[in-house]
Amino acid sequence: MTKLSTSILLALAFGASGTAGAAGAAYGPELQGFKYPYPVQHFRFNSQGQTMQMAYMDVKPAGKGNGRTAVLMHGKNFCGATWEGTIAALTQAGWRVVVPDQVGFCASTKPPHYQYSFQQLAANTMELLKKVNVDKAVLVGHSTGGMLATRFALMYPQNVAHLVMVNPIGLEDWKQLGVPYRTVDQWFERELKLTADGVRTYEKNTYYMGRWKPEYEKWVDMLAGLNAGSGQRLVAWNSALIYDMIYTQPVVHEFPQLKVPVTLMNGDGDTTAIGSDIAPPEVKAKIGNYKVLGKETVKRIPNAKLIEFPGMGHAPQIEDPAGFHKALLQALQ
């Protein structure tokens, strides 16, 4: 924790929204008011002395099914809802699909204090999978979800049939490469200033290679509306803690220890790198180069293969759903 007092923690938990969100939708602190593509259930559990709930979708396969389960792990600026196209593609192909929102994100609990770690989030997810009777699954992790899925596979290899990373962040260690440290308080102040216009500009330039389609707008609305709602300070505080986790807890150094089959699916035009906005020019110039990172990464992981999407950005499953899902299903055969 930082120097936040008990009174400030209470204010985070119950107190006032700010005005950082641009005009538009404002959702509750657990994304109340935003429509998910499939029914949302809630898993209640205790963690670090607090009662939590993880929102999740558990979608049955169309028809008879193939007896296999995929678990989809969302990224930092994404939610379970953003997997809607992938859920549809997998269920039509006979898969059961479980899609959690992690604690601190989207439709799940935003605790006023929590020691975030990828190990903790993986353990939370494992408890959810036990609850829904999933013993072994394919993990598909996008962006920050790729870091989490990697940690899960390292902790529970016996429960992972295949690890698929989709433009995961964390293919490099930013602090090792010279990206300056931001304190949690600095992240918090940054997150309080989040607006729909800022989200849209960032995603257009970083995620979609300068291209924008009307169907991307609802994901801007989702993120900006969550940050503009009644839980704004609590949402921003959890976001700050999560950014600190991402920066300080790299998984890249443990890639050689993975014991499960791995497929890395990369839009090779992606430039996502945590802290690139404050990195010195010479550091910024060498980070977030997915065209190089993808090829380097599969050399370090036993039993790994690379699927590249030339000229695409951070979210190929959204940018080219048909091409992405064809490649994903082929990789999982």
Side-chain angles (χ1 to χ4, degrees):
M1 289 292 295
T2 65
K3 298 178 181 178
L4 289 175
S5 67
T6 301
S7 61
I8 294 176
L9 284 173
L10 291 173
L12 285 170
F14 304 108
S17 66
T19 58
Y27 301 118
E30 295 180 4
L31 208 49
Q32 294 93 335
F34 183 86
K35 184 173 176 57
Y36 272 53
Y38 299 91
V40 175
Q41 302 181 60
H42 296 90
F43 169 52
R44 302 190 71 84
F45 65 105
N46 292 320
S47 178
Q48 299 185 18
Q50 303 171 77
T51 300
M52 303 281 181
Q53 67 88 12
M54 285 178 70
Y56 68 98
M57 294 175 284
D58 187 352
V59 188
K60 295 179 180 179
K64 185 178 179 181
N66 61 15
R68 303 177 72 188
T69 300
V71 177
L72 310 185
M73 296 182 169
H74 62 78
K76 171 66 179 67
N77 292 329
F78 300 81
C79 295
T82 53
W83 282 116
E84 62 177 1
T86 305
I87 298 170
L90 286 169
T91 54
Q92 286 298 316
W95 291 74
R96 176 189 180 187
V97 184
V98 178
V99 192
D101 280 349
Q102 297 298 326
V103 166
F105 295 84
C106 307
S108 293
T109 297
K110 314 291 187 306
H113 54 88
Y114 202 61
Q115 179 62 51
Y116 277 101
S117 69
F118 285 111
Q119 285 90 340
Q120 178 70 72
L121 297 184
N124 295 349
T125 304
M126 189 68 215
E127 290 305 307
L128 168 65
L129 295 184
K130 289 178 182 177
K131 190 255 185 184
V132 298
N133 297 312
V134 173
D135 180 62
K136 196 161 192 172
V138 166
L139 301 185
V140 183
H142 172 236
S143 191
T144 299
M147 293 183 77
L148 175 57
T150 299
R151 179 57 61 199
F152 189 103
L154 288 164
M155 292 171 67
Y156 308 110
Q158 69 278 8
N159 302 104
V160 179
H162 194 138
L163 169 62
V164 179
M165 295 187 286
V166 182
N167 280 86
I169 61 171
L171 298 181
E172 55 194 343
D173 183 344
W174 305 290
K175 58 185 173 62
Q176 184 184 58
L177 294 171
V179 174
Y181 176 69
R182 265 192 180 109
T183 66
V184 172
D185 297 300
Q186 288 170 332
W187 278 116
F188 178 53
E189 292 302 319
R190 178 182 182 268
E191 291 302 282
L192 286 174
K193 298 173 184 176
L194 185 145
T195 66
D197 287 342
V199 171
R200 188 181 301 106
T201 298
Y202 173 76
E203 292 191 354
K204 178 181 178 181
N205 294 336
T206 306
Y207 293 175
Y208 304 114
M209 306 289 292
R211 301 180 290 263
W212 192 255
K213 298 178 183 177
E215 54 263 37
Y216 303 160
E217 196 64 34
K218 65 180 175 181
W219 308 128
V220 173
D221 170 80
M222 175 189 71
L223 192 61
L226 178 63
N227 284 267
S230 61
Q232 186 212 20
R233 294 183 66 82
L234 188 58
V235 168
W237 178 247
N238 276 266
S239 183
L241 294 175
I242 290 163
Y243 270 124
D244 186 73
M245 172 187 71
I246 295 168
Y247 176 89
T248 60
Q249 298 178 28
V251 295
V252 60
H253 305 298
E254 295 167 79
F255 282 160
Q257 298 175 29
L258 283 165
K259 295 180 173 62
V260 303
V262 175
T263 299
L264 176 59
M265 305 181 74
N266 265 359
D268 71 2
D270 192 4
T271 59
T272 305
I274 298 297
S276 62
D277 57 321
I278 58 171
E282 66 276 12
V283 174
K284 185 173 183 177
K286 66 182 180 181
I287 59 176
N289 186 349
Y290 276 71
K291 188 172 289 189
V292 172
L293 287 170
K295 295 177 177 64
E296 289 180 345
T297 298
V298 293
K299 292 176 182 177
R300 303 184 61 235
I301 300 175
N303 197 13
K305 66 178 180 179
L306 173 65
I307 299 172
E308 291 186 301
F309 300 92
M312 292 192 185
H314 190 59
Q317 76 276 25
I318 297 174
E319 196 171 2
D320 178 20
F324 174 84
H325 294 128
K326 180 181 179 180
L328 174 64
L329 289 169
Q330 288 176 345
L332 296 181
Q333 285 178 351

